[in-house]
Structure formats: C-alpha cells, structure tokens
Amino acid sequence: MNNPGFVLTRKGVVVIDPGSSIQVGDMLLKQIATVTRDPVIAVFNTHIHGDHWLGNDAVRRAYPKAVIYAHPKMIEKSALEGANWLKNLLQLTDGGTRGTRVVLPDLAIDNEETLALGGMHFRIHHSGPAHTDGDIMIEAVEEYVLFMGDNIVAERAARLDDGNYAGNIAACEAALKTGARQFVPGHGKTGGREVVTAYRDWLKALYGSVKENYSRGMSDFEMKDKVVADLKPYRKWALFDSEIGKLISLAWLQVEQASF
C-alpha cells in the first residue's frame, strides 16, 4: 500500500523503499525488468517502519552487490525493529510475507549529503525528527523528483507514534525548498507541490486545534469533538476515523511538553 520507487541511471537502477516483504520486493524487481535489464546498484530506505524496507531481502538476493543506505538513527534500530515488523506483517497478512529475512542497511547517510550514482545525483534531506527520528527524503536532482517517505503522505491520516508534529511540519517546509517539481509521498498519489502543502496544512490544523483547546484547560478526550469539527476538510482522508483519537493524544502530549 506504500510507494516503492526506482530511478534509472547510466550504470544501473537506484531503488527507494523496496516494500514490506520479499514478495513485494520481487514484484518491484519484475516491474523494473519491464523497462530495463540493468542491475540494481543502490537502495535507499527512508525510515524505520518495516513496510517500507523489508523488501531489501529481495534486492539483496537478486543483486548482492547493491548498497543499501539509510539514516544513522534508522540503522541503530533496524535489527530490533526489523524483527518486530517481520512478526507483525506475518500476522497482518495471514502468512503472506513468509520467507522474508531482515536485511539491514549497509551505510549511513545524512542531511545535505549527495551521492553520485550512475551519472546522477541523489541529495539527502533530513530536517530532524519528523515522521520518525531517522527519516530521509531523497532528491533525484536531474529528474526534479523528491521521494519523501512518510514525512509526507497523500490524503491519509498517517500514524505519528514515533514522530513529532513540529518536526514533521519542518520536513514539509524543507521539501518545498528543494528543486523538485514532482513529489512522491510514502503513501498515496504522486503530484506537485500541492501534495506537500496539503499534508503540511493538515498537520498544522490538527496541532493548532489541539493547542488552542489545551490552552482552555481541556484534556485530550474532552477536546476530541471540537478538534474533529475543526478538521472537517480532512474527514474523507484514509484512516481518519481510526487514527484521529491517537493523533489528538499525541498532539496534546507534545503541546504539554512544549509548554514547559
């Protein structure tokens, strides 16, 4: 349900987020094979959530020399988190991801680093804790495309269990300052700057409503109806009903922390 991507270079294919399992990774490799016979030479993992990177297994089996890059904070957590995600996905898919192994990233990469791969340049953007504390966005410079991971998703009330509202808003602003013209979200349809501004405005509206009601002395559960009313333009977004209570609670805690 998320967005694996790939970029063709003169010397091979660069993959961004190969998906949640060896099965998904294999499907991605089959799609790549419909447009090129070149090998995969590099992989970027955008963040720690396994639905985006456990497909590393498929790439490593098919292309053992491919180098896998991620943020240092993701690499620190990837062994434990990978094992947890394997169990969760196996349960969620009723065994559909069976056979997937945890293949960890090889090399760390951080903000403002640029890799030259196959005659193209891939610039890394990390503005601090956002969707998680180890997110990277990857700018394919010559293609004017930004792969954003779950820092930005399209028309979706994304979970922020490991994230930070202010930091995620900052990541949206950082994305808008790049040279990109096309923006690939972690989930949902690719588009122009409107993909980024819509998600930024959602985060601002949610956090702002919680902050205002917090200032009136309301607890998270007391303010839920008022916050939901303020978010009327977003009610049709995927996962809104199932995630909104948790998102309000997280925002309330972060507002409280910021107030001290």
Side-chain angles (χ1 to χ4, degrees):
M1 64 177 181
N2 54 16
N3 291 330
F6 62 94
V7 179
L8 307 183
T9 78
R10 292 200 300 267
K11 294 185 178 180
V13 181
V14 175
V15 169
I16 297 90
D17 281 353
S20 58
S21 66
I22 189 170
Q23 292 82 7
V24 175
D26 283 339
M27 286 192 287
L28 173 62
L29 294 178
K30 288 178 181 177
Q31 289 297 314
I32 292 172
T34 66
V35 295
T36 182
R37 295 183 180 181
D38 290 345
V40 174
I41 59 172
V43 178
F44 290 104
N45 295 157
T46 60
H47 65 290
I48 192 63
H49 296 148
D51 56 319
H52 289 258
W53 65 272
L54 288 174
N56 286 353
D57 189 17
V59 178
R60 179 53 50 81
R61 295 190 198 198
Y63 301 103
K65 295 182 180 180
V67 180
I68 305 174
Y69 298 93
H71 191 271
K73 290 187 178 295
M74 180 197 160
I75 294 177
E76 288 174 12
K77 303 174 182 178
S78 56
L80 177 60
E81 286 294 312
N84 291 337
W85 274 91
L86 273 184
K87 294 177 184 177
N88 291 339
L89 288 167
L90 196 64
Q91 181 178 10
L92 289 168
T93 63
D94 194 24
T97 59
R98 185 172 287 111
T100 303
R101 302 176 304 189
V102 176
V103 174
L104 306 179
D106 301 306
L107 294 177
I109 192 163
D110 209 337
N111 187 46
E112 295 187 349
E113 292 188 54
T114 299
L115 290 183
L117 299 170
M120 293 187 61
H121 295 88
F122 296 84
R123 185 172 297 139
I124 305 305
H125 301 275
H126 169 80
S127 56
H131 180 68
T132 71
D133 64 354
D135 304 282
I136 57 172
M137 299 186 288
I138 300 96
E139 182 182 0
V141 176
E142 287 82 4
E143 298 292 337
Y144 302 100
V145 174
L146 184 67
F147 296 89
M148 303 179 294
D150 282 0
N151 277 349
I152 292 97
V153 298
E155 297 187 357
R156 183 182 183 90
R159 64 192 291 261
L160 268 175
D161 302 44
D162 303 316
N164 178 276
Y165 279 90
N168 208 154
I169 292 166
C172 294
E173 299 292 357
L176 292 169
K177 291 177 182 177
T178 68
R181 299 171 187 166
Q182 289 293 311
F183 297 83
V184 183
H187 300 258
K189 294 182 179 180
T190 293
R193 293 171 64 87
E194 73 281 354
V195 174
V196 183
T197 57
Y199 192 67
R200 177 201 62 190
D201 292 349
W202 146 260
L203 292 171
K204 284 185 174 182
L206 201 168
Y207 189 78
S209 179
V210 170
K211 186 175 181 179
E212 180 180 350
N213 287 292
Y214 176 90
S215 70
R216 296 172 179 169
M218 301 180 74
S219 65
D220 51 355
F221 66 88
E222 290 175 325
M223 66 174 67
K224 181 178 178 181
D225 289 345
K226 292 183 178 297
V227 175
V228 168
D230 288 341
L231 298 176
K232 184 178 180 181
Y234 307 98
R235 286 298 306 273
K236 293 183 179 180
W237 278 22
L239 303 182
F240 183 96
D241 291 332
S242 62
E243 292 294 319
I244 190 61
K246 190 191 321 183
L247 288 167
I248 291 171
S249 294
L250 287 168
W252 190 94
L253 289 170
Q254 290 177 21
V255 169
E256 181 183 48
Q257 185 178 23
S259 68
F260 289 106

